[in-house]
Every structure is written in C-alpha cells, then in structure tokens.
Amino acid sequence: QVTPVESGGGLVQVGGSLRLACTVRGRSSSSNAMGWFRQAPGKEREFVGAITWTGRGTIYADSVKGRFTISREYAANTMYLEINSLKPEDTAVYYCAEDRRRYNSNLATEEGLYAFWGQGTQVTVSS
C-alpha cells in the first residue's frame, strides 16, 4: 500500500515560514511526479505545485509563485514544500499526492491525475 504522509504544518504568523514534508511509505516514488494541493475552509481543494520525477522541473500556482519551493530527497523518499512570506490566505490543509503516471515530465495540475493522497497537514497563518 502506497501511503504519502504529510508533516510540518502548524501555526505561524504572517510573513513567517514553514517547511512541509511528504514521505511516501510502501514503495519508492522516484519514478513518479509528486504534487501539493491545499484546501482552505469552505473552499474546494486547489493545486499548489508539482515536481517532476527527476526533480529537475517544477510548476506552481500563480498565487504561490516566488514564495513556495518544492524539492525532493530521493534517499528519504520525501518531497518538501518550503513556504515563505506566509499570508492569511495560505491557511489551509495541505495535501501531497503521487502522479499516477510513471516517468512522465508533463506535470499535472488536475487532481484526477494524482493517486495515493495523504491525510493532510494543517497550516494556519495568524495576522
């Protein structure tokens, strides 16, 4: 069973930083792209960003460009989301997921192309 596990969320002040981690358990995710999504209270889940299976390519939602950075550490089977300059509108539950396609460098923003979702980690930004 492939299970992504998110961690690193918490309560932080406006302008602060956090680093979220997504560790995939069950098998290696090195041949799959990975993505981050988030769901704010009362809103639908939205795409945040993704990283290719090689780790050389990333894409981000316009709302987070320049503030969020995705990376991955293959030895730990972990993907990271570095969040800087946090804003109140970044408050959400953050989810990671594995792209169901292997060795594909066309990063997806659609939820339907991702399988094996984690349970999420809460990020709360206080003003």
Side-chain angles (χ1 to χ4, degrees):
Q1 175 110 12
V2 178
T3 307
V5 179
E6 302 94 340
S7 61
L11 175 64
V12 64
Q13 291 187 330
V14 169
S17 299
L18 278 176
R19 188 175 80 155
L20 308 184
C22 170
T23 299
V24 178
R25 297 175 179 169
R27 63 155 168 77
S28 172
S29 61
S30 61
S31 59
N32 300 76
M34 299 286 296
W36 285 99
F37 292 76
R38 68 184 181 184
Q39 187 168 20
K43 295 188 177 181
E44 293 187 351
R45 189 157 56 187
E46 65 175 0
F47 173 77
V48 172
I51 187 166
T52 58
W53 67 278
T54 62
R56 297 192 190 108
T58 53
I59 58 171
Y60 300 93
D62 288 343
S63 59
V64 307
K65 276 181 185 175
R67 299 188 299 120
F68 288 22
T69 303
I70 298 174
S71 60
R72 59 193 305 174
E73 181 182 350
Y74 293 95
N77 212 30
T78 298
M79 173 180 64
Y80 300 99
L81 179 65
E82 193 82 34
I83 308 175
N84 297 306
S85 302
L86 276 159
K87 304 176 181 180
E89 52 263 42
D90 294 320
T91 294
V93 177
Y94 284 72
Y95 300 91
C96 66
E98 182 185 87
D99 191 316
R100 62 178 74 245
R101 304 165 297 171
R102 299 181 70 195
Y103 304 116
N104 191 309
S105 295
N106 295 317
L107 291 171
T109 63
E110 304 85 2
E111 285 191 30
L113 289 175
Y114 289 87
F116 306 117
W117 291 79
Q119 292 298 307
T121 185
Q122 175 72 48
V123 173
T124 303
V125 184
S126 65
S127 55

